[in-house]
Amino acid sequence: MAVGELAHDLPISRPAVSQHLKVLKCAGLVQDRAAGTRRIYQLNPHGVAALRAELDVFWGRALDAYKLIADDEGDE
C-alpha cells in the first residue's frame, strides 16, 4: 500500500506513517518499490520470519525461566 492509503485508517498523520515506515524498512520488516511518484510498501516476509524466530527464542527462554521459578516455589 502507499503511505496515503496506510495513513487513511490510522489516527496519526501521513508524515508520522512515513517515519514509522522508514524505521520498519531499516529494520528489514517492510520493503518498498516505486510506482510512478508513489512508494508502495509491503511486508518483507524474510524480515518478519527473522523477527518471529527471535521472539520465539525470547519467549521460550522467558517461559523456561518462569517454569523454574514456579517449580522452585512449588517445592517449598
Side-chain angles (χ1 to χ4, degrees), residues 17-40:
V17 171
S18 292
Q19 290 174 351
H20 283 81
L21 287 169
K22 181 179 178 182
V23 171
L24 292 171
K25 184 178 174 184
C26 287
L29 297 174
V30 298
Q31 53 198 17
D32 65 337
R33 63 180 168 77
T37 58
R38 302 182 323 155
R39 307 288 315 161
I40 305 299

Side-chain angles (χ1 to χ4, degrees), residues 3-5 7 12-19:
V3 175
E5 293 171 291
I12 59 175
S13 67
R14 182 182 281 180
V17 171
S18 292
Q19 290 174 351

